[in-house]
């Protein structure tokens, strides 16, 4: 038989109107409404037309497709009416994975969001006076407790009597607000080794120019000395800025002044020192074996005037940018009209307040990011072994091997934790194909591919999701 021409193939497709008269479709319309079903029917027909035009469908394929038409429309409808944003299983071992939503929230944070969101709240209302209040008091109170208590505890090392904090949309916004408030029209001194780009197009020189401050670059990529800062200060200098190198390291012939040297220069010349910490841990990472990550407390102790950090990185809370520092400087930021434009909503305050309260109560394990960091390699290995026990298919080969989990989210790239990985290979499939099939599971499972194996790190998988992984692997082995 001669192959049908494209136009013959197109002619086999019904019109939308014909399609909507089909009995099975009519019952869909009764359930979901005419508009939604007609949209779905149009989408299905358009997709088939596209496939005909690409030469992917022949006459027999179209007959087959037409017999399942009602099902295809229903499937399309279901896709159109479900959420696009959905849960995935993070088996990458990257704890703060920006593409997968960074820090998962604590249950208490979700509970407090629910309470606050479903009714009215005292967001900006002082119930004792009946007058207007400020939205930032709710979290500043807890930041004070966390940051100032530490100073009291440290006795002689106390360098700042008081610290206040405000919250904006994200750390990029915090940096913008700080530069605009403290340095608009003036110069900000930054080392060339710290003119960084963080994923998602946050670049220090760009934020600087948007803020209206003038970037004064000093030193070289690998070496900057305190005398470089000193030599660049003149009457138009407003700020010394240090930026944490979140996503890269410079090694070899390098030099960078210590925070203490910068603090003493800043004091001597009366120019504030700001540090963009990026991750900003409130939790001592040394307790999980990670050194060299700057903590919020360390920087405040050293005498930095203003620090900026993210809410959803090492802090383990909602997306936010936090500015902590000397009260008179933070007060200036609060009265900048940009603060109003960058402010966060009640949901963020609710999540932040609950997260900070967990720190105050030293309930670190209720904060998922911290809990995942504290899992031992042995615990993770035992879970990986248990998954392999549930997967019994000849084509799949599973092995539990040593590996490393990554903190991610702007902790030093060398910040890794020992873990046990589930290494999977499948006869007749490449590792990339296998990874794609895992992503097509429901919920999608996101894994790493290394050395032609799929690697699953259960550190970032919640224990109740282990079963889904076993089920998905069994299905893969059978397909
Ligand atoms: C992550 C990061 C930022 C950006 O923070 P967001 O909260 O993502 O806006 C800025 N500076 C540094 C050093 C960072 O690590």
């Amino acid at each position: 038989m001669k192959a049908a021409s494209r136009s013959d193939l197109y002619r086999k497709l019904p019109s939308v109107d014909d399609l909507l008269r089909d009995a099975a479709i009519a019952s869909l319309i009764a359930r979901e409404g005419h508009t939604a079903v007609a949209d779905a029917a149009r989408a299905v027909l358009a997709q088939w037309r596209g496939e005909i035009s690409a030469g992917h469908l022949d006459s027999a394929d179209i007959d087959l497709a037409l017999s399942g038409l009602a099902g295809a429309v229903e499937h399309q409808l279901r896709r159109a009416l479900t959420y696009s944003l959905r849960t995935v299983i993070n088996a990458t071992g990257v704890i703060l994975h920006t593409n997968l939503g960074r820090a998962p929230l604590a249950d208490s944070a979700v509970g407090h969001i629910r309470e606050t969101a479903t009714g009215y709240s005292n967001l900006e209302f002082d119930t004792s006076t009946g007058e207007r209040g400020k939205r930032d008091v709710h979290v500043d109170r807890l930041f004070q407790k966390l940051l100032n208590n530490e100073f009291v505890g440290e006795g002689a090392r106390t360098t700042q009597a008081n610290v206040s904090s405000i919250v904006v949309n994200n750390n990029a916004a915090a940096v913008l607000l700080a530069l605009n408030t403290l340095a608009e029209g003036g110069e900000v001194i930054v080392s060339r080794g710290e003119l960084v780009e963080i994923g998602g197009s946050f670049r220090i020189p760009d934020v600087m120019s948007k803020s209206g401050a003038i970037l004064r670059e000093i030193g070289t990529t690998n070496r900057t000395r305190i005398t470089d800062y000193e030599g660049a200060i003149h009457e138009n200098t407003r700020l010394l800025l240090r930026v944490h190198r979140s996503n890269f390291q410079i090694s070899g012939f390098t030099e960078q002044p210590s925070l203490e040297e910068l603090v003493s220069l800043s004091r001597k010349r009366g120019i504030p020192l700001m540090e963009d910490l990026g991750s900003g841990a409130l939790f001592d990472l040394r307790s999980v074996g990670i050194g060299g990550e700057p903590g919020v407390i360390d920087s405040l102790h050293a005498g930095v005037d203003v620090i900026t950090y993210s809410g959803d990185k090492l802090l383990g809370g909602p997306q936010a940018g936090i500015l902590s520092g000397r009260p008179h400087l933070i007060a200036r930021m609060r009265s900048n009209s940009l603060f109003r434009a960058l402010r966060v909503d009640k949901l963020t305050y609710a999540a932040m307040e609950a997260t900070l309260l967990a720190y105050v109560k030293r309930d670190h394990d209720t904060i998922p990011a911290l809990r995942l960091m504290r899992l031992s390699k042995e615990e993770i290995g035992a879970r990986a072994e248990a998954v392999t026990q549930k997967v019994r298919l000849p084509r799949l080969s599973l092995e539990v091997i040593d590996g490393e989990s990554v903190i991610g989210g702007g902790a030093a790239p060398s910040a890794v934790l020992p873990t046990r990985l589930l290494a999977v290979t499948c006869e007749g499939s490449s590792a990339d194909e296998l990874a794609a099939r895992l992503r097509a599971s429901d919920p999608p499972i996101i894994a790493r591919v290394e050395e032609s194996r799929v690697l699953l790190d259960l550190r970032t998988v919640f224990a109740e999701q282990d079963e889904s992984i076993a089920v998905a692997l069994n299905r893969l082995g059978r397909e």
Side-chain angles (χ1 to χ4, degrees), residues 36 55 59 68 70 108 177 216 232 251 270 274 305 337 344 392 394 400 424 455 464:
S59 183
S108 60
L177 176 62
R216 180 70 199 273
S251 57
M274 162 169 154
D305 298 296
S337 59
V344 297
R392 297 227 156 272
V400 179
V424 188
L455 302 178
E464 62 274 16

Side-chain angles (χ1 to χ4, degrees), residues 102 170-172 198 202 243-244 246 276-279 310 313 320 410:
R102 287 199 189 150
N170 50 33
N171 188 33
I198 314 291
F202 173 88
V243 182
H244 180 49
S246 298
D276 175 15
L277 274 179
S279 231
S310 298
K313 290 185 179 172

